[in-house]
Amino acid sequence: QVQVVESGGGLVQAGGSLRLSCVISGRTFSSYATAWFRQGTGNEREFVAAIKWNGAATVYADSVRGRFTTSRGDVKDTVYLQMNSLKPEDTAVYYCATESSLYRNNPSRDPDHYAYWGQGTQVTVSS
C-alpha cells in the first residue's frame, strides 16, 4: 500500500509561518491529487487544501485562502503546505491524503475521496 508521511508541524506564535511536507512513497510519481485536512481536538476532520498532480490547479478552504499555499516538489512525490499568518484557530493535527487510481487527479474537498492517509502532524499556534 502507498505510504504517506507528513512532517513540519510544531509550535508557532500567532502571525508566524510553518511549512508542512508530505512525502508519498510506494508508487510511481504520477498524476494523483493530494489534499490536506486538519482536525482539532473534539472536532470533525475538515478540508484545508488540495492540489492536482502537476500543480496547475489548487483548491482551498475559505478559512485559509490567502494565507496557505500548497505546492508540489519537482523531483520526489512531495507536496508542501506553506502556512502564513497563522492564527490560534489553525491549531490542529494536519493530515496529508492522496487518491487511489480510480479518482486520479481530482482535488476533492471530500475526505472519502482519498484512499491513503498519513498519521498527521501537530500544529499549535499560540496567541
Side-chain angles (χ1 to χ4, degrees):
Q1 187 166 287
V2 174
Q3 292 82 47
V4 181
V5 180
E6 309 97 335
S7 63
L11 176 65
V12 66
Q13 190 173 354
S17 298
L18 285 173
R19 188 173 75 163
L20 306 184
S21 298
C22 173
V23 178
I24 301 165
S25 61
R27 71 182 184 190
T28 303
F29 182 39
S30 189
S31 55
Y32 299 97
T34 301
W36 295 93
F37 293 81
R38 66 187 183 186
Q39 186 169 17
T41 301
N43 296 323
E44 295 291 320
R45 191 168 297 184
E46 66 174 344
F47 174 79
V48 176
I51 187 168
K52 298 185 77 172
W53 72 273
N54 59 358
T58 53
V59 181
Y60 296 97
D62 289 343
S63 59
V64 306
R65 187 175 293 110
R67 299 188 297 120
F68 291 10
T69 303
T70 188
S71 60
R72 284 192 171 271
D74 293 329
V75 178
K76 298 180 179 179
D77 194 0
T78 303
V79 176
Y80 301 101
L81 183 68
Q82 179 66 47
M83 305 185 294
N84 298 325
S85 302
L86 282 162
K87 304 174 181 179
E89 51 263 44
D90 296 318
T91 295
V93 177
Y94 282 71
Y95 297 90
C96 181
T98 194
E99 292 177 315
S100 71
S101 60
L102 292 177
Y103 306 97
R104 187 175 296 177
N105 210 26
N106 178 11
S108 176
R109 293 176 171 87
D110 183 0
D112 292 339
H113 178 73
Y114 300 96
Y116 308 108
W117 291 76
Q119 295 298 305
T121 185
Q122 176 71 48
V123 172
T124 302
V125 184
S126 62
S127 60

